[in-house]
């Protein structure tokens, strides 16, 4: 028995050493040179340095793919179609992909390393995502762990968002900048502002960074992202159900809705634990008085 265990440990040790050796060799010894990165069968492919991930190469060329985990392969947000040159599908990618996506060459951009010319397809919505520089316009405490933070955008063109979409805020961390997703809570007609409703997560890098921001501080974010947004069909009744930071996209959807379509029927069900967790109640009561088709229900569990 001891002999078998020893053999297993030696084998595992050798495999680990070999794997580390290969990673080091690839990092320092292999030079893939300049590779072509073709997007949507474009006439002029980008020229990028081989050896980096597809996500990094796209980011360096101001093409921003959602990446809530910052490229660690744990969020599954960075899906794009790689028609050629992406190498074999990695085991880390499989749990995030449906069978249909695998058949359609969908990959996680953060896991695909560029080793040769590569051909990808990116939806036009994602090609319109921009990087924004902004400054903190206002900070408001909503509850003991929830803050509303308003970012004033420097670019005079502002942001064109669909109510329900989100941005990715950049925060500093010991390992370099990280990105986290936050739903936009300001309505679509406020094009010069992005407002967020952020819950403080204990020891959370980005939520702590946002909670410590002061008026006038500079911030960077990319967006807008996301396929969850307001259905503009005038005959569709809207039902919003959520709690805590889930308020952010619902607030955006509701205010955007009544700005454009004041006769639409909408229900808001907002769940809280205690009265301490309640916020925006007065604002929504005012809205419900103005728009009789807006129905407001706050529910407390404790
Ligand atoms: C599409 C999308 C929209 C989002 N919109 C919002 C929003 O409007 N407002 C908002 O506040 N958040 C929102 N989030 C969550 C947000 O992106 C971050 O995940 C969250 O703020 C934690 O990030 P962090 O850097 O502070 O924590 P991290 O440093 O990433 O995590 C620190 C620790 O906290 C744990 N943790 C992470 N998230 C949670 C959580 N939610 N509850 C408990 N523990 C957690 C982690 O496992 C880790 O152990 C959204 C997420 C997505 C994917
Ligand atoms: S960025 Fe999260 S899985 Fe790729």
């Amino acid at each position: 028995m001891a002999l078998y265990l020893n053999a297993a440990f030696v084998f595992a040790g050798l495999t680990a050493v070999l794997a580390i050796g290969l990673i080091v060799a690839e990092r320092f010894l292999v030079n893939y040179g300049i590779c072509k990165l073709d997007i949507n069968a474009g006439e002029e492919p980008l020229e990028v340095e081989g050896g980096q991930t597809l996500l990094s190469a796209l980011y360096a060329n101001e093409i921003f793919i959602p990446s809530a985990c910052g490229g660690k392969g744990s969020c599954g947000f960075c899906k794009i179609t790689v028609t050629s040159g992406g190498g074999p599908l990695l085991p880390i990618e499989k749990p995030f992909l449906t069978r249909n996506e695998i058949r359609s060459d969908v990959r996680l951009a953060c896991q695909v390393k560029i080793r040769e010319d590569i051909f990808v397809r990116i939806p036009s919505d994602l090609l319109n995502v921009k990087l924004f520089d902004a400054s903190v316009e206002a900070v408001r405490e909503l509850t003991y762990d929830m803050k509303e933070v308003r970012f004033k955008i420097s670019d005079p063109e502002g942001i064109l968002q669909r109510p329900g979409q989100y941005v990715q805020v950049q925060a500093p961390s010991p390992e370099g900048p990280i990105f986290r997703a936050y739903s936009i809570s300001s309505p679509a007609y406020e094009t010069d502002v992005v407002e967020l409703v952020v819950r403080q997560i204990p020891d959370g890098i980005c939520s702590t960074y946002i909670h410590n921001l002061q008026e006038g501080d500079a911030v960077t974010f990319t967006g807008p992202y996301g396929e969850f947004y307001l259905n503009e069909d005038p005959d569709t009744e809207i039902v919003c159900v959520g709690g805590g930071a889930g308020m952010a996209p619902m607030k955006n959807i509701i205010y955007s809705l009544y700005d454009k379509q004041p006769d639409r029927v909408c229900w808001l069900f907002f769940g809280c634990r205690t009265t301490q967790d309640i916020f925006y109640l007065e604002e929504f009561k005012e809205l419900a008085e103005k728009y009789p088709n807006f129905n407001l229900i706050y529910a407390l569990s404790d």
Side-chain angles (χ1 to χ4, degrees):
M1 183 67 179
L3 203 65
Y4 281 126
L5 272 178
N6 270 343
F9 279 130
V10 170
F11 181 71
L14 280 176
T15 313
V17 169
L18 204 63
I20 292 168
L22 281 173
I23 291 168
V24 172
E26 177 158 34
R27 174 84 178 77
F28 294 105
L29 303 178
V30 183
N31 183 356
Y32 295 102
I34 298 295
C35 303
K36 288 200 164 72
L37 167 53
D38 178 282
I39 300 166
N40 298 345
E43 278 171 16
E44 268 189 55
L46 298 171
E47 298 210 321
V48 299
E49 205 161 313
Q52 60 182 321
T53 67
L54 181 53
L55 186 72
S56 309
L58 290 168
Y59 190 90
N61 285 281
E62 299 197 353
I63 297 169
F64 305 109
I65 305 297
S67 57
C69 70
K72 293 199 182 101
S74 60
C75 72
F77 273 39
C78 59
K79 290 177 185 178
I80 62 170
T81 305
V82 180
T83 49
S84 165
L89 185 70
L90 303 179
I92 190 174
E93 298 176 77
K94 281 189 183 162
F96 296 103
L97 302 172
T98 62
R99 260 191 236 152
N100 250 348
E101 286 176 328
I102 291 175
R103 269 199 296 270
S104 312
D105 301 317
V106 175
R107 302 288 303 270
L108 296 187
C110 71
Q111 299 303 314
V112 173
K113 211 164 202 188
I114 301 182
R115 296 184 169 93
E116 56 181 313
D117 291 352
I118 185 164
F119 297 77
V120 304
R121 280 204 308 265
I122 301 178
S124 56
D125 268 9
L126 277 185
L127 293 177
N128 292 331
V129 167
K130 291 203 287 186
L131 181 113
F132 292 94
D133 291 317
S135 61
V136 177
E137 186 185 65
V139 179
R140 185 176 152 204
E141 218 155 273
L142 297 173
T143 69
Y144 58 95
D145 66 349
M146 202 77 78
K147 273 191 180 174
E148 175 197 278
V149 187
R150 285 173 70 83
F151 299 153
K152 179 94 177 158
I153 296 172
S154 315
D155 182 347
E157 277 185 26
I159 187 167
L160 284 182
Q161 49 125 334
R162 289 176 165 155
Q165 289 192 299
Y166 65 93
V167 292
Q168 290 198 168
V169 176
Q170 182 181 311
S173 86
E175 286 118 44
I178 54 123
F179 282 91
R180 295 283 184 273
Y182 294 94
S183 299
I184 306 170
S185 61
S186 44
Y189 53 82
E190 285 193 54
T191 53
D192 59 339
V193 162
V194 160
E195 179 196 90
L196 310 177
V197 172
V198 178
R199 184 159 84 95
Q200 163 86 74
I201 302 295
D203 301 325
I205 299 171
C206 196
S207 58
T208 306
Y209 161 76
I210 294 175
H211 269 244
N212 288 335
L213 285 172
Q214 308 286 324
E215 233 179 271
D217 283 351
V219 284
T220 302
F221 59 88
T222 58
Y225 300 98
E227 286 162 19
F228 165 75
Y229 45 76
L230 173 63
N231 177 340
E232 297 201 348
D233 170 9
D235 298 323
T236 302
E237 200 163 313
I238 301 289
V239 181
C240 299
V241 184
M247 171 61 88
M250 303 195 296
K251 176 174 178 266
N252 182 351
I253 284 172
I254 293 164
Y255 278 88
S256 303
L257 179 75
Y258 284 106
D259 175 60
K260 272 192 160 172
Q261 298 169 301
D263 297 327
R264 290 275 298 268
V265 176
C266 174
W267 292 81
L268 168 62
F269 295 91
F270 188 62
C272 307
R273 281 208 188 93
T274 71
T275 48
Q276 278 187 312
D277 301 299
I278 290 177
F279 59 97
Y280 289 150
L281 182 58
E282 291 313 312
E283 287 91 331
F284 282 127
K285 274 187 183 166
E286 245 177 61
L287 200 73
E289 271 174 29
K290 201 166 162 198
Y291 300 101
N293 283 339
F294 175 49
N295 306 282
L296 175 64
I297 293 161
Y298 272 49
L300 299 179
S301 60
D302 293 358

